[in-house]
Amino acid sequence: MANFVRYLKSNYKDMDAHLATYYADDGAHPDMRTYLYGPLARYAANGGKRHRPLIALLACEAVGGDPRLALRAAAAVEHFHTAALIHDDIEDGALTRRGEPCLHVAEGEALAINAGDLALSLVTGSVVDDPLLEPALKIRVLSELVDMTTRTIEGQALDIGWARDERFDLTVEDYLTMATHKTAHYSGATPLAIGAIIGGANDETVEALRSFGLAVGLAFQIQDDLINLVGDDTSKDFRIDITEGKRTLMAVHALTHARDARRLLEILASATSEPAILDEAVTIMEEAGSLDYARDYATELVIEAKAALDVALPDALPGSSKTSAKASKPKALLLSMADFFIERRA
């Protein structure tokens, strides 16, 4: 975990600087900076650890490629992340994102939707305008990005639809389908697959990295949901998943296994933000073993994913009979990433 954390800290500023170049345009009128490029640039700058684009670069390097060739494709994944967050905040009626007002709160819903649309256009534009990739490779990368976008939208449809229809008659398998589509593809699977494709990996290696990304991406979402319940209690978003009635793995499991499942259902449906009632909901989940169940599920995902990747991704580059530091270092960082996804606390 520590190795991957150091990697993120060492590289996220360079990624931030690259991403900022996409928002430097002032458009054909000065007010385009005021109403579009400026607000989107400020929102995107509050972007967290940038793990999604950075793991795309890692995957490219791990298969023996030049990560510089994957830079714009990696940025495309982050543009999608920006767009998804803007639109997700509107759909959820959220107020803050990483301690700052959501874009629709700061700029109004209409301008926020429009800014999110621009971020979506950059997903394809970043690749189409890439001077370093051959046309056939661009098409393959774009196909990956289109599939990633579709899978994420499908997962979001389940999440929103279940909330609209007040659906709590869900199974663990239902949750896993939703979370895999909504998060795991764009937070793990597609960045790794794109990096490997640009790095020149064969299909078998690409699919091994994709499978690894799906598993650890799902673990990432489970851990994210756990952090919301038992993480930093000073965060403005602490336990907001209960207030919003989110169908998390813990909630779905507890509604099936808790002795007080009916009371938990009442709380999840009430939209309460009262701390004592939120405490009560977490206690019900804890007593049902749901928090431990989620932790164990995420841990097992990571253990199995690491073992499979260790076999599928060679320590030596093609044509070399010796262990290559060039290949083994990024591979070690990817394995460290899996631990980071389930051990982080915020």
Side-chain angles (χ1 to χ4, degrees):
M1 172 182 175
N3 290 340
F4 186 68
V5 172
R6 285 195 294 270
Y7 170 75
L8 294 179
K9 288 181 177 179
S10 298
N11 292 280
Y12 83 92
K13 288 184 178 179
D14 288 341
M15 181 57 66
D16 278 351
H18 176 72
L19 291 167
T21 64
Y22 295 90
Y23 309 117
D25 196 347
D26 286 329
H29 190 283
D31 284 346
M32 291 181 185
R33 165 60 49 182
T34 302
Y35 299 129
L36 179 59
Y37 293 102
L40 183 56
R42 290 190 293 273
Y43 182 87
N46 185 27
K49 300 176 179 67
R50 305 296 190 193
H51 88 259
R52 294 167 183 84
L54 290 174
I55 64 174
L57 303 187
L58 267 183
C60 183
E61 188 176 1
V63 300
D66 182 350
R68 291 172 296 183
L69 298 179
L71 183 58
R72 290 183 67 88
V77 177
E78 191 66 11
H79 293 319
F80 177 79
H81 180 51
T82 296
L85 293 184
I86 292 170
H87 292 158
D88 188 60
D89 287 340
I90 294 169
E91 290 160 352
D92 288 346
L95 300 178
T96 62
R97 171 68 65 177
R98 299 194 184 98
E100 299 292 334
C102 294
L103 192 60
H104 69 276
V105 173
E107 301 291 337
E109 190 170 292
L111 284 175
I113 292 172
N114 199 53
D117 291 345
L118 175 60
L120 278 178
S121 78
L122 290 172
V123 176
T124 52
S126 299
V127 178
V128 169
D129 296 336
D130 193 336
L132 301 180
L133 298 185
E134 294 297 324
L137 191 53
K138 288 183 183 182
I139 294 297
R140 189 171 178 191
V141 171
L142 288 170
S143 177
E144 290 283 342
L145 292 169
V146 168
D147 186 69
M148 174 195 76
T149 301
T150 302
R151 299 290 85 76
T152 307
I153 292 170
E154 289 173 344
Q156 182 75 337
L158 293 178
D159 200 20
I160 295 171
W162 291 340
R164 186 198 70 178
D165 294 344
E166 300 180 354
R167 292 277 305 279
F168 286 100
D169 58 330
L170 305 172
T171 66
V172 166
E173 288 71 25
D174 291 328
Y175 165 84
L176 295 174
T177 298
M178 180 274 291
T180 297
H181 281 64
K182 181 177 176 178
T183 301
H185 282 277
Y186 91 91
S187 291
T190 301
L192 294 177
I194 285 174
I197 289 167
I198 294 173
N202 59 35
D203 290 346
E204 183 179 359
T205 302
V206 170
E207 293 312 310
L209 279 160
R210 189 195 309 279
S211 295
F212 174 77
L214 277 177
V216 299
L218 179 56
F220 177 89
Q221 182 60 58
I222 294 170
Q223 181 67 7
D224 212 44
D225 294 341
L226 280 164
I227 289 170
N228 188 263
L229 296 185
V230 296
D232 181 6
D233 61 3
T234 65
S235 169
K236 292 180 180 179
D237 295 331
F238 185 58
R239 294 182 173 172
I240 196 171
D241 285 353
I242 300 174
T243 302
E244 295 179 352
K246 289 286 187 179
R247 281 72 174 164
T248 63
L249 181 58
M250 296 78 71
V252 170
H253 181 272
L255 287 171
T256 302
H257 295 84
R259 287 180 298 176
D260 297 326
R262 182 173 296 180
R263 173 57 178 158
L264 177 60
L265 181 57
E266 290 175 356
I267 295 171
L268 290 170
S270 70
T272 182
S273 58
E274 175 61 41
I277 299 178
L278 299 180
D279 284 343
E280 182 184 358
V282 173
T283 297
I284 293 172
M285 293 185 212
E286 284 180 323
E287 291 178 348
S290 301
L291 301 189
D292 287 339
Y293 174 81
R295 291 189 189 98
D296 291 345
Y297 196 98
T299 300
E300 189 62 30
L301 278 172
V302 165
I303 290 172
E304 293 180 1
K306 287 174 65 176
L309 187 69
D310 195 35
V311 172
L313 199 61
D315 288 320
L317 295 175
S320 172
S321 60
K322 297 180 180 180
T323 298
S324 166
K326 184 179 179 182
S328 61
K329 182 179 178 180
K331 174 181 174 178
L333 286 171
L334 288 173
L335 294 173
S336 175
M337 174 195 79
D339 294 327
F340 165 76
F341 275 11
I342 61 168
E343 293 175 15
R344 64 199 172 90
R345 295 292 177 263

